Amino acid sequence: MCEANAYFNSNGQEVLFMEAVDVIEPYEDGLKLVDIFGRQKFVKARIKDMTLLNHRIVLEETAGFKHDSD
Amino acid sequence: MCEANAYFNSNGQEVLFMEAVDVIEPYEDGLKLVDIFGRQKFVKARIKDMTLLNHRIVLEETAGFKHDSD
């Protein structure tokens, strides 16, 4: 399976934000992430970098960062 | 392998832009894409949606669209 884990880079440390992400799409001024189980998270962030072979997405907070789970 | 193909949505048709994309990161006002062979493309576009399980990235042109290959 080719899902990826999404991390935030916070003060030089990477913090796991969501596992097993399948879908990523823009949502308002941030992103919508959907995992392989259909769970959604909305986050005021943008993609900082992504390496699909490593199953790895690094997110970067945008202004007004907050996230709503599920 | 978990690379994905990148498409543009052009007048309702999807046109393949780059195969076997591994890395995606922001670059200036667009994106840098790198395939599994290390070839790079720079494009004035943003991600419209992405479904990793389907190995599929759909790009959307931004103002001043053009692309430079290799």
Side-chain angles (χ1 to χ4, degrees):
Chain A
M1 297 269 275
C2 286
E3 68 275 11
N5 292 335
Y7 302 86
F8 271 101
N9 203 321
S10 173
N11 298 320
Q13 282 201 309
E14 289 193 345
V15 179
L16 183 64
F17 173 67
M18 192 177 196
E19 286 184 296
V21 175
D22 173 17
V23 174
I24 303 174
E25 57 189 51
Y27 184 83
E28 293 178 1
D29 53 348
L31 298 171
K32 178 173 103 172
L33 281 71
V34 186
D35 73 10
I36 57 172
F37 308 106
R39 289 183 295 226
Q40 301 184 357
K41 286 190 178 186
F42 300 92
V43 64
K44 287 199 194 307
R46 62 191 195 110
I47 293 165
K48 187 170 174 244
D49 64 75
M50 183 158 55
T51 54
L52 300 179
L53 298 189
N54 293 336
H55 302 255
R56 183 177 177 71
I57 303 160
V58 181
L59 303 174
E60 191 169 51
E61 299 171 11
T62 54
F65 172 73
K66 70 175 176 67
H67 68 82
D68 307 317
S69 301
D70 304 0
Chain B
M1 297 271 274
C2 286
E3 68 275 11
N5 292 335
Y7 302 85
F8 270 102
N9 203 321
S10 172
N11 298 322
Q13 282 201 310
E14 289 192 344
V15 180
L16 183 64
F17 173 67
M18 191 178 196
E19 285 184 297
V21 175
D22 173 17
V23 175
I24 303 174
E25 57 190 50
Y27 184 84
E28 292 178 0
D29 53 348
L31 298 171
K32 178 173 103 171
L33 281 71
V34 186
D35 73 9
I36 58 172
F37 308 107
R39 289 183 294 228
Q40 300 184 357
K41 287 189 177 187
F42 299 92
V43 63
K44 287 200 195 305
R46 63 191 193 109
I47 293 166
K48 187 169 174 245
D49 64 75
M50 185 159 54
T51 54
L52 299 179
L53 298 188
N54 293 335
H55 302 254
R56 182 178 178 72
I57 302 161
V58 181
L59 302 174
E60 191 169 50
E61 299 171 12
T62 54
F65 172 72
K66 69 175 176 66
H67 68 81
D68 307 316
S69 301
D70 304 0

